[in-house]
Amino acid sequence: MTSNDDYVLDILLEHSAITPEQIEASRENMVQDGRTVLDVMVEDNVISEPDVLGVLAGQFGMEMISLQGVDIPPELRDMIPVDTARRYKVVPVFKNEDNLTVALCDPLDFDTLDSLRYVLKCNVEGVVVTRDELRVTLDRYYSVESTMEAMLNQISDEDVNVDAVGAQHVIQDAGDVSEADAPIIKLVSVIILEAYRHRASDIHIEPLEKRLRVRYRIDGVLHEVDSPPKRLQSAIISRVKIMAAMKISEKRIPQDGRIQVHVYGRELDLRVSTIPSNHGESVVMRILDKQNLALGLPKLGFFADDQQVFERLIGLPDGIILVTGPTGSGKTTTLYACLGHINRPDRKIITVENPVEYQMSGINQVQVREEVGLTFSSALRSILRQAPNVVMIGEIRDRETANIATEASLTGHLVFSTLHTNDAPSAITRLLDIGVKPFLVASSIRAVMAQRLVRTICDGCKEEHPTDEAELRALGPAAEQMADTTLYAGHGCSKCSLTGYSGRQGIFEIFTVNDEIRRMIFEKAPASEIRIAARETGMRTLREDGLRKVAAGWTTVSEVLRVTMGDID
């Protein structure tokens, strides 16, 4: 939160804002993910960010203000250029004779004020605001369009050949790349930086016939942003390929690569994929934030009862636990959260993945390389000789992999994996269709969890929302759950880019295998009958779990309908 958290903790103790016991409790809850004790205390609501900043502002004789409703006139904004405002994370708030007052979120950041005095050639004073208010104000007055336009104005025809340019992988802000570097480098850096700031999971760079389209996937929905001109297409794609260590001269076949970048002090992995299209190479960069590994099971969206059931299942000594759902439904994040929950010094955990999306400490991770014969099945056969307690398989794709997984589970290993099915009971028939014998499926499968991701309502603009009769009719019999329920929705604000949603959480369908289900599997009962039996034993469908979260005010009926349209009641 600040540049010197230990010093801040001492100040807060002096002002009796926190206690030594609270510090020690938060220190015990820390995960080695770059967060400090103060970050943990704020996230756990031990102390609020405004309270911390209020104490610090008073300590250093600074004023704490709110930027809500403050209008910064153009002549004041022009005093601080776009790249300077974003580099130093400040906004001007007023000017009095020769003194310029700027808002910043770290009262201890004296270096920023000194640097601004030198850069702006005037006396600069600071006032304190929260991080959210500063971010919203920066987005309002120093938007990506301004940054992108500044980059484009610097690019000439001579700048579009970047084949010989070395990769610059530390991206803190558009201004971090030196003036001597090619403007194309700065432009690509801005695209990546803005994607991260908007919480995007993917960046899509798509050549169309007459233009180059750039889109960000935010909370599972694609949003088009202001895009560079068509003439820069080749240079931008070549720059990305250089950063991802791809062959820039090869444009006829798909390629895969990886980029590691540091953005605002956080380490990100970008998984890059290119594929030839009619009008050039289409590029997708998937953003993998390593700090998401520290989410833990509670942050995935479980209610207490489902979390208790799931924690019991992943604590079993053997068997197979499957997570199912379409691409982009959060299966990998759930699997890593499971591994993090059970990762202890007395357990050996090995994963087989294609690709290895996140590096996890204390876990042996194997990257599948089919070009050299290291497939899922061959890797599994080898790692079982390593005597693991827990095995995670990225995906069960074929009969051989499925058979090895089931055999491993029957010989004392706990196996996690994924399948692509629409609901949980269908995973059983999928394994049978692949060719696994019914008695192996019945004996090895402990549970299957289907999941989807729904967008959560933005806290900044959440309000009561009238019941939509059309949506309730679309719910069918499940609409009875919503009787006398207060519904909420976000009306849209700068924090959520006017969407009404901010972030995503899971909805789940947990299917546990009991003796009756095992008998049905052995008799090759169809998925519809297995589903009926599971419902009779208490399994909630994806839609039912989603509606519970609507009733709790987490999401909206329209979101649940969007991701469960094929749900069978």
Side-chain angles (χ1 to χ4, degrees):
M1 175 183 290
T2 67
S3 53
N4 192 334
D5 276 17
D6 290 335
Y7 179 50
V8 172
L9 291 175
D10 291 338
I11 294 175
L12 294 175
L13 282 172
E14 290 178 7
H15 287 76
S16 301
I18 55 175
T19 65
E21 292 76 17
Q22 290 173 326
I23 294 177
E24 289 307 312
S26 297
R27 200 181 302 276
E28 292 176 1
N29 291 334
M30 280 180 62
V31 180
Q32 298 303 318
D33 58 359
R35 295 186 304 162
T36 64
V37 175
L38 186 57
D39 291 331
V40 174
M41 297 182 78
V42 171
E43 291 177 14
D44 291 345
N45 296 318
V46 176
I47 187 171
S48 69
E49 181 188 3
D51 288 343
V52 173
L53 295 178
V55 171
L56 295 179
Q59 179 78 10
F60 296 104
M62 300 174 72
E63 182 182 359
M64 185 170 179
I65 67 170
S66 173
L67 292 175
Q68 291 185 2
V70 173
D71 183 38
I72 303 175
E75 60 271 16
L76 192 57
R77 298 200 301 267
D78 292 343
M79 295 188 66
I80 302 183
V82 173
D83 58 343
T84 302
R86 287 211 168 274
R87 176 186 293 182
Y88 293 107
K89 300 181 185 65
V90 297
V91 293
V93 287
F94 55 84
K95 188 178 186 302
N96 181 17
E97 296 181 352
D98 293 331
N99 295 324
L100 176 65
T101 301
V102 300
L104 69 167
C105 59
D106 186 354
L108 278 70
D109 192 2
F110 304 114
D111 290 340
T112 286
L113 295 176
D114 289 339
S115 298
L116 286 172
R117 292 183 186 113
Y118 176 79
V119 171
L120 301 177
K121 308 300 182 186
C122 68
N123 186 41
V124 178
E125 303 296 335
V127 292
V128 183
V129 296
T130 64
R131 286 178 295 183
D132 284 344
E133 284 194 357
L134 181 63
R135 178 182 57 79
V136 169
T137 307
L138 277 171
D139 287 346
R140 180 181 176 188
Y141 292 111
Y142 297 96
S143 64
V144 60
E145 289 80 6
S146 302
T147 308
M148 189 81 77
E149 183 179 357
M151 296 298 102
L152 293 175
N153 288 337
Q154 300 180 49
I155 298 176
S156 63
D157 291 339
E158 289 75 22
D159 293 321
V160 299
N161 184 1
V162 296
D163 291 1
V165 177
Q168 166 71 29
H169 290 176
V170 179
I171 305 171
Q172 296 290 355
D173 208 329
D176 273 1
V177 185
S178 70
E179 293 299 326
D181 288 327
I184 285 291
I185 297 179
K186 299 181 74 174
L187 178 56
V188 174
S189 297
V190 167
I191 291 173
I192 295 173
L193 175 73
E194 291 302 316
Y196 171 77
R197 288 201 316 106
H198 285 84
R199 302 177 293 102
S201 60
D202 302 273
I203 304 170
H204 295 252
I205 302 176
E206 302 163 316
L208 305 179
E209 183 178 4
K210 295 182 179 179
R211 65 188 182 100
L212 180 67
R213 182 169 65 180
V214 178
R215 295 192 289 176
Y216 298 154
R217 189 180 297 278
I218 303 171
D219 294 335
V221 178
L222 283 170
H223 298 268
E224 186 169 350
V225 298
D226 282 2
S227 302
K230 180 74 172 178
R231 67 186 178 89
L232 301 181
Q233 173 180 313
S234 178
I236 291 172
I237 293 174
S238 294
R239 170 62 185 163
V240 173
K241 291 170 73 174
I242 288 172
M243 295 178 71
M246 296 178 178
K247 296 179 180 179
I248 60 174
S249 60
E250 181 56 77
K251 302 178 181 179
R252 301 165 299 174
I253 60 175
Q255 296 189 67
D256 295 310
R258 202 160 196 154
I259 303 172
Q260 288 190 330
V261 297
H262 289 81
V263 177
Y264 294 133
R266 298 179 70 164
E267 185 176 351
L268 304 180
D269 278 345
L270 274 64
R271 202 171 75 201
V272 185
S273 171
T274 67
I275 190 170
S277 66
N278 286 344
H279 306 291
E281 290 179 282
S282 176
V283 178
V284 175
M285 292 181 277
R286 185 172 188 189
I287 302 173
L288 306 171
D289 186 351
K290 293 185 176 182
Q291 292 199 14
N292 286 340
L293 289 177
L295 283 177
L297 292 177
K299 297 293 182 67
L300 296 180
F302 286 109
F303 277 129
D305 52 353
D306 283 343
Q307 183 175 333
Q308 184 177 8
V309 170
F310 197 62
E311 286 181 355
R312 178 184 64 81
L313 291 169
I314 65 177
L316 295 173
D318 55 32
I320 296 177
I321 296 175
L322 296 174
V323 180
T324 74
T327 300
S329 60
K331 299 188 298 297
T332 300
T333 300
T334 297
L335 286 180
Y336 277 113
C338 293
L339 296 183
H341 186 78
I342 64 176
N343 185 15
R344 301 194 302 266
D346 62 340
R347 284 190 173 185
K348 180 164 185 175
I349 302 175
I350 302 181
T351 73
V352 184
E353 306 171 67
N354 185 24
V356 174
E357 294 196 359
Y358 298 100
Q359 303 287 339
M360 290 191 72
S361 61
I363 292 177
N364 303 276
Q365 296 173 273
V366 178
Q367 168 75 56
V368 168
R369 300 187 185 277
E370 295 186 357
E371 66 274 13
V372 296
L374 184 59
T375 62
F376 275 106
S377 55
S378 62
L380 276 173
R381 283 193 296 269
S382 298
I383 67 173
L384 291 180
R385 303 189 193 102
Q386 299 280 313
N389 301 104
V390 180
V391 176
M392 192 268 272
I393 307 168
E395 181 183 352
I396 293 179
R397 301 183 178 183
D398 52 45
R399 177 180 177 180
E400 187 175 8
T401 303
N403 279 328
I404 296 173
T406 54
E407 290 168 5
S409 70
L410 295 174
T411 54
H413 303 85
L414 180 62
V415 179
F416 293 96
S417 191
T418 68
L419 276 178
H420 289 279
T421 62
N422 291 328
D423 64 352
S426 297
I428 301 299
T429 52
R430 176 64 57 85
L431 290 174
L432 296 177
D433 291 341
I434 288 175
V436 184
K437 297 185 182 302
F439 76 90
L440 288 176
V441 175
S443 303
S444 60
I445 299 295
R446 296 287 182 266
V448 182
M449 184 175 75
Q451 70 175 65
R452 301 288 190 276
L453 293 177
V454 294
R455 293 181 291 175
T456 52
I457 301 171
C458 173
D459 290 333
C461 57
K462 183 177 179 179
E463 62 184 13
E464 288 191 20
H465 181 69
T467 302
D468 189 316
E469 295 299 329
E471 289 179 350
L472 293 181
R473 285 196 299 271
L475 289 175
E480 296 179 4
Q481 285 184 241
M482 310 311 297
D484 302 323
T485 298
T486 302
L487 303 181
Y488 294 90
H491 62 76
C493 64
S494 56
K495 180 180 178 181
C496 61
S497 301
L498 303 179
T499 63
Y501 298 99
S502 179
R504 290 189 292 175
Q505 286 190 324
I507 59 173
F508 307 98
E509 180 176 281
I510 302 176
F511 165 52
T512 57
V513 178
N514 56 22
D515 290 340
E516 173 63 19
I517 300 295
R518 289 191 185 92
R519 181 189 62 79
M520 297 179 71
I521 295 172
F522 189 76
E523 295 175 353
K524 295 185 178 181
S528 57
E529 294 183 10
I530 295 176
R531 183 178 180 83
I532 292 171
R535 294 290 306 278
E536 290 174 350
T537 58
M539 183 190 81
R540 271 187 294 268
T541 66
L542 288 165
R543 180 169 292 180
E544 288 170 343
D545 189 52
L547 293 180
R548 287 207 302 165
K549 286 158 187 175
V550 170
W554 293 9
T555 188
T556 62
V557 173
S558 60
E559 266 299 287
V560 174
L561 284 172
R562 181 178 67 87
V563 300
T564 64
M565 194 56 69
D567 195 13
I568 304 170
D569 291 314

